[in-house]
Structures are given as C-alpha cells and as structure tokens.
Amino acid sequence: MGTQPPPENRGPLGRYPLVHSQQVELRLAKPATSTHICVLDSPAAVTVAIAASEVKTIGCLFPEACAALGPENRRSSKSESASHPLELSPLVPRDNTQLSSRTRVRPPRDVVKLEDRLLYLLQPPLEHLFAGESLAFPFRPFPYQFDGIAFLYPRQEAVLADEMGLGKTMQAVVAMRLLAHQRQVRRTLLVCPKPLVTNWQREIAQWAPELTVTVIEGKQSRRRWLWENVQSGVLLSNYESLVRDQPYAANVPQPFDLMIIDESQRIKNRLSTTNEAICSIPRRRSWALTGTPIENSAEDLVGIFQFVSPGCLRPQMKIADIRKSVSDYVIRRNKDQVDIDLPPKMFRDANLSLSPEQQQAYQLAEEEGVVRLNEMQRELTIQHVFELVLRLKQICNFDPATGTSAKLDRLEADLEECAASGRKAIVFSQWVNTIEQLSNRLQRFNPLEYHGKIRSKQRDPIIEKFRDDPDSHLLLMSYGAGSVGLNLQFAQYVFLFDRWWNPAVEDQAINRAHRIGAAGPVTVTRFITTATIEERIDRVLEEKRALFRSVFDPDADAESNNTLRLSRDEIFGLFQLNLPDGDRLEDAA
Amino acid sequence: MDVAAPNSLPAFGFLTVVEDSQHGFFGGYLVLSELGRPLEFHCSTPVLPTKAQKILYGSTLRSYVLGELIGQTLVNKARLPVQAVLTDLEDMLSLGLVWQGNLAWVAQVEAARIGCAPFEEVLFDAKAKPTKADSPELELGKYRLAGSSTCSWSEEKLSKLLAPLASCVDLVEPFERIHEAIQEAQRVTEHSAGEADGNSAAA
C-alpha cells in the first residue's frame, strides 16, 4: 500500500483524506522454497490502476435562479422554455411544524421534457403555500382538496369530477389563483349556468379576493366591449349568454390563458350549439367541472372531452378504452372516499298507493294511452310514448280532477314533524305547476318557490330567506333550476316528489343539502307510487347508476359495455308496445 | 462551487442519494431558495462501485462513494453558490474532505427521539456508537444537525445561516422531493432509452 500517516493523524472516518489516489503499487516477493533463502532486494511488482468511477449528471437551472444570475445565465438555462411556477409572491409559513401532510404537484403525462417535469415535482408541498401569510385563505382545505388543486395546477386539460358537495368550485378557484400568482394565467374565462354566477362571484371573493371578476352581462354593445377589451382577471359568463356572444368570444385578440366550464354536462351533446360555442373559444388551458360527467351514456363524456382534449375520445368507444384514455385527465372522488366528517345521508323510499281518485284516473289514462299508441302503428315515435309517460307521472302527483294526492298527504305529515323540530326541507319536482299546487296546499309552512318562472334577480334573496328566516321551513324547487351549484347545507330533509329520468340530476339535487358544512344527517325521501310507471322508472335509474360506476369506479368491471343507457327498446318496453323504427330516447329526452 | 458571496441569492443545497440494489447509488442535489422554492437541480447516473474499490476502500467505501464521488461531483456541477449544504445521510459528510463549505447532516429531533431515525442511533445513542459522540452537533428548533471533524463547522455561523430557512422550510422535506425527482429522471431516461432501442431495432 502507499504511504499512510500515523493513526493519530487520521481523520474521523478512519482513513487519511488523500486515500483516493488512483494508483497503488503492490510489491510481491518471489515464492520461497523449502531449502533456499529468499532474496527480497529486488522484488517483482505489478501496478493495479483503480480508475475513479465516472459520475455523469443531468440537471437544470430553474427560472428564478436564472433571473438572479443575470441575463447571460438566463440564456443558458436548459429549462428556459418552462413556465415560471416559482414567481409566487413571498410566502412565509407562520409555523412549518403544522405542516404534517404534504401534497405534491405531479406533472401530467403530456408534460414530456424532463426539465419541465422536474420543475413541477420539485415544487414545495401545497400546504406550504397555504401556510403563507401573504397568500391568505379563509380556512384550511381538506387533504383531498389539496389533491384536487395539485391535480389541476399542472394540467392544461383536466376534468374535476368530484361528487357534488365536495368543493369543486373552491379547488378550481385556488388552482386558478396559484397560476395567476405565478403569472402563468393572466386572463381566465369562466362559464357556468346563469343561476350560479353569483355563487362563483362569492367563491372567488372568498378564495381569491385579489382577482378581478368581470361579469359579462348587459346590452350587446357592452358585452362586446367586454369581450374585446378585458385583458386580465376573470371573465364570468353563462352558457346562454356565451352562445349569443360566440362571434365575439371566439375572436378575442389573445387566447384565454385558462377556460373553466362549470357544470360541464351542459355540453354533453357534442352536436349542440352550446358545445360548438364553448369549443370555439381560443384557450390555452381547458378545465371542466362536473359532478356528473355521465348523465345518460358514455357519449356524454365524449362531448365534454371535445372541449377538454379534442380527439381524446371518439364516439362509440368501449368503456375500457374510455377509462384508459381519460385516466390522466379526470379526477373523481366521492364522499365515501374522502376523509371528511360529513354527516350521513339516509335514503328512505316512500312506496305509496295512489288515492282512489288517482288510481281511477291513472288506469283510464294508461289504457287509453296504450290503445292509442298501438293504433298509431308506424306513425308511433318515441315522443308519443314520452307524452304518455309524462301524463301518467303527473297523475301520480295529483289527480287532475279532484287534486287528491297520496304523495301530498305523506309529505304534509313529514313536514309537520320537520317544522315542529325547527328544521328545513327542500322538495324537488319536475314540474312548475306541481310546485305551485304544493305551494298553495302547504301555505302553513311558509313555502318558498325556486324554479324557472322565478326571475334571476329574485333567486338569491329567496335562498337567503330560506337560510336565515327561522319561520321558513320549506323550499319548493324544480330540478331544472335548483339541482346544480347551490349550497343549501342548512336543510336536513330532501323530498323527491317525483323522479327525474336521470340519476345524476337526482343526485345533484340531493347534494344541495348533503355537502360540506351540513350540520346534521340529511334524510332523503323518494316518493314512488306502487304499480305505476314510477316503479319502472326507478329500475331504469338503477341501471344508469351502474353505467356510471363502470366508467369511474376503479373496482368496476372495465369490460362492461355502454349499452345501459335508456334505449329505444327500453322506453317502448315500458308499455310492451310493438317497436316501430324511430328515434332513440336521448333524442327525445 | 464556492461558498456564497455576501450579496448572492440566499440559497441552500440539499444532497442525498437513492440506493438501488441493482444499479447502485443515484445522487441528487437540490438548491432551494430561502423560501423553499427550487432553484437548481442535478442528479447523477447510477454509480456502482467496482470490485477493486470494494476491496480497497473496505468499510469506508460508502462514505467515499457518497461524499467524495457523488457528492463532490454534484456540488461542483451546480452553478448557484449556497450558504450551506444539508444531507440526510451520515456517510455524505465525507464531502467535507474535498469541499470547504458549510456541511451538516440533519434529522428531526422528534423522529430521533422515538428511535426511528438513524441519527438517534448513531449520534445520540452513545452506547450504540460511542465513536460518534464527539461529532459537533447543533439543535435548531425541531432539528438536530451534526457535522464531522473534517467538515467546516461553526455552530454560531450555522445557526445564523439556517435559522431563517428552518422557519420557512421543513429541513427534511426537500429530501423527499429529491427522491421523487431521481425516480422521475430514472423513469424518463429508461423510457427514452427503450424508445431509442425500439427505433434502432425497427430500423
């Protein structure tokens, strides 16, 4: 061995620091024999070269460092093409010992360059941002919400499909805020159903108060001016308005940095005008929010993805292929999966017999209707069948001649109990005239009405009165007006006076009450009149729930087909009619 | 790689390796700002000691590979000067033999006290490893830092340098980021190599 220092001079690691020399000379003596004396004066020697292992590296300098080092270094940065997710305003956690959980931003699959992927992976956990004093948030999100924000943040194309009531709005607002602070997003277009505009304004004011919100409303000339001239902040529009404004929105001078569509099931029909208008708007990021990405069939998802990531899905794809294709774009959690202390949701099916008057009217209508349908032969279309279905459903609510109603009798009894205990209830119906009939008959409960006939400006005060007035126990809502976006977690009872064709819409309605902030258990009562069309519809709804699970439940059978939608055969089967050539149910629904 | 100049961007290095039984040691070096944001990152290709190295370095092989080979290469590769380099591996302290900056091995006190961190076993359990009891050490909030006699070590200076960082950043958390980044780099590199092989085979 080479020369070594005495032990007292060796370092604490047990060897002298210069031991890393690369050549070692070994002196070997000739082998001794038994009878000869060994001569050691000129021993043979071999030299063993210890080549130092070559360490190759890869690396990158991120934008913030480039800026600090000066322009010459900026040019040489490998990650120059990356965006600037490091330019957050100073964030100083008050106490990092509180940051027990860590949510990391993970790059989506479509970020290909290693430098760009590392830029996302090496960001501090989101919890550190929320602990910052300069980026205040009203309260700490749940861990699953951090996951949702971390999912949206790096993605150009994303669908946040959490179950209703888990805070999709807040997650989207916070992700948008982070991007805005990082100067990745300067101008956002947010499109939502008209009744939810004020809700979005409120959520943005709460979670991103520094972002300017411009609601695109008013006269055409004003809307046009806003489309053409607002260059920063959040532009807030509704679907109906956007369709009218498409010529302006589609020709904005610069693409929107981010476009968010809320309740994106509104564009499920890929051939609709709304879908066309939404998809025509130039944008860099496309996020869709929906609690019900599939309402009728897997084709609904194709329509949404026409906006999110055109070409990702095609019509008639198999469920297994859809699941595979959307896996990196969609995040979906339900209330059972997330770790939140949400009160239970209890279902009870109220199976009621029709009143004698209703029974008589129902039998007559069904017999006459079926006879008439059969007589139509080849002229029979799905629309004719639907008309009969709707007629029968209305009779299940009220007898048209006398106004008697088995459901109303039951509802009154339940509401007595509800009001006596000081609790609040929401009753959903498909029809405005049913709501009006209920309102007349339930006056002692001070009912409030919320449906399509109520003007937009009157709607928010109605919700506020229902929430704040202790004498206001009952809110009568139509599925169309009240099933999406509203926060009614102060109601403990939900009644589905009649059933909607679509389980997703029913779930939306129920989850107005059963959501974060719910003070206690939510009891959902579904009225079903026995031996009527409502029982048959209930079976169909269960089948649709099975379709939804087959796409989004990771434990579901991926090979299941997508034919669970309500087919033409099934709707005609409700009355055991002969099958003419005709439209599919979806076309008529 | 130099020690930070007085007016340079306040930055701190985090140095670790990921050990893989098949490929060897992957090194990772992350430079963070005082607020914990990434400024620069370097990682190494895997280093697998040769048989000759194993024989000749013996029990000091690991500290040689980690500190002198991987650590030195990565720290020298970085362009940003740093105020100090922190590592979560004791063997990385041998970097102090060949690099003259502030270097410390960091662990959480809580983790050490419940006995799940090697730091406790090695540094603070005098019966287990009495020879390490002489290492310089420093307690900074919920963290304990240790050096070796070969490291540049000034308790006062280190406290002053690291206190602002420790108030903003969990000093152990960045090593998780490095681990993930190394795995990502490995995955991407292997994927690219696989594609290249596929293309050449097709050609």
Side-chain angles (χ1 to χ4, degrees), chain A residues 419-558:
Chain A
S421 60
R423 299 183 185 277
K424 294 176 187 289
I426 311 169
V427 177
F428 281 98
S429 173
Q430 181 178 356
W431 292 287
V432 173
N433 66 355
T434 293
I435 290 173
E436 289 172 341
Q437 277 181 280
L438 287 171
S439 183
N440 290 335
R441 304 273 290 273
L442 299 170
Q443 277 301 309
R444 66 181 184 282
F445 298 110
N446 296 323
L448 295 164
E449 294 179 40
Y450 191 103
H451 47 71
K453 283 187 181 176
I454 307 293
R455 296 177 63 182
S456 298
K457 288 181 181 174
Q458 296 174 323
R459 292 186 180 187
D460 281 349
I462 289 172
I463 299 299
E464 286 163 15
K465 181 173 169 57
F466 180 54
R467 183 187 60 208
D468 301 331
D469 183 356
D471 293 328
S472 189
H473 296 287
L474 180 58
L475 183 63
L476 303 169
M477 302 190 99
S478 68
Y479 285 105
S483 66
V484 294
L486 296 172
N487 296 321
L488 305 174
Q489 56 269 58
F490 38 88
Q492 290 87 7
Y493 291 91
V494 174
F495 295 92
L496 306 185
F497 197 75
D498 44 56
R499 309 295 302 278
W500 192 261
W501 280 110
N502 187 325
V505 173
E506 284 194 348
D507 290 344
Q508 289 263 21
I510 293 163
N511 285 303
R512 296 311 100 212
H514 188 250
R515 58 202 299 117
I516 293 170
V522 175
T523 304
V524 181
T525 305
R526 297 182 287 208
F527 289 138
I528 303 170
T529 46
T530 53
T532 68
I533 191 80
E534 290 190 328
E535 275 193 337
R536 281 167 265 173
I537 291 172
D538 187 55
R539 283 197 297 273
V540 173
L541 292 175
E542 280 309 307
E543 289 178 346
K544 289 197 172 194
R545 287 181 204 280
L547 164 67
F548 191 94
R549 287 193 294 270
S550 71
V551 176
F552 291 107
D553 183 349
D555 300 324
D557 176 14

Side-chain angles (χ1 to χ4, degrees), chain A residues 310-341:
Chain A
C312 177
L313 296 184
R314 298 180 308 280
Q316 310 302 324
M317 278 176 86
K318 292 179 180 173
I319 294 291
D321 294 334
I322 290 176
R323 285 179 63 165
K324 189 177 174 186
S325 298
V326 307
S327 62
D328 195 48
Y329 297 99
V330 180
I331 184 169
R332 160 97 185 160
R333 285 80 52 93
N334 60 41
K335 288 168 187 164
D336 296 332
Q337 292 169 322
V338 301
D339 185 22
I340 54 172
D341 193 17

Side-chain angles (χ1 to χ4, degrees), chain A residues 12-13 15 17 19-20 50-51 53 55-62 64-65 68-69 73 76 86 88-93 96-97 102 104 106 114 117-118 121-125 128, chain B residues 9 35-45 47 53 56-57 60 63-64 68-69 73-74 77 79-80 94 97 142 149-150 166-170 173 176-177 180-181 184-185 187:
Chain A
L13 297 171
R15 59 189 165 78
V19 76
H20 67 286
I50 306 174
S53 303
V55 182
K56 291 181 181 172
T57 66
I58 52 175
C60 49
L61 202 62
F62 296 124
E64 190 173 353
L69 286 173
N73 293 290
S76 63
L86 303 166
L88 276 170
S89 54
L91 303 171
V92 184
N96 70 29
T97 59
R102 291 165 185 159
R104 302 207 166 281
R106 298 184 189 283
L114 177 61
R117 296 184 71 82
L118 291 177
L121 272 176
L122 291 169
Q123 292 299 315
H128 285 220
Chain B
L9 180 74
L35 298 173
R37 296 178 204 149
L39 301 172
E40 188 174 6
F41 178 73
H42 295 273
C43 61
S44 74
T45 53
V47 176
Q53 285 172 330
L56 289 166
Y57 285 97
T60 65
S63 64
Y64 163 71
E68 295 170 59
L69 209 55
T73 305
L74 289 172
K77 198 79 181 177
R79 296 171 61 191
L80 287 175
S94 59
L97 300 169
K142 63 175 182 174
S149 57
T150 58
S167 71
C168 300
V169 177
D170 178 345
E173 179 275 326
E176 290 178 18
R177 292 192 230 176
E180 290 202 25
E184 182 69 14
R187 192 189 64 76

Side-chain angles (χ1 to χ4, degrees), chain A residues 98-110:
Chain A
Q98 302 297 316
L99 308 177
S100 53
S101 60
R102 291 165 185 159
T103 308
R104 302 207 166 281
V105 175
R106 298 184 189 283
R109 282 203 299 246
D110 58 2

Side-chain angles (χ1 to χ4, degrees), chain B residues 127-195:
Chain B
K127 288 179 183 173
K129 294 283 177 74
T131 55
K132 299 295 179 189
D134 294 335
S135 300
E137 62 178 81
L138 160 68
E139 192 156 327
L140 190 69
K142 63 175 182 174
Y143 306 102
R144 277 187 182 168
L145 294 96
S148 75
S149 57
T150 58
C151 296
S152 167
W153 184 270
S154 160
E155 187 171 328
E156 188 184 356
K157 188 178 173 186
L158 268 177
S159 294
K160 194 176 173 184
L161 281 175
L162 294 175
L165 178 72
S167 71
C168 300
V169 177
D170 178 345
L171 295 185
V172 178
E173 179 275 326
F175 298 111
E176 290 178 18
R177 292 192 230 176
I178 299 175
H179 285 201
E180 290 202 25
I182 289 174
Q183 286 172 3
E184 182 69 14
Q186 189 183 359
R187 192 189 64 76
V188 170
T189 308
E190 284 176 357
H191 181 70
S192 304
E195 281 190 345

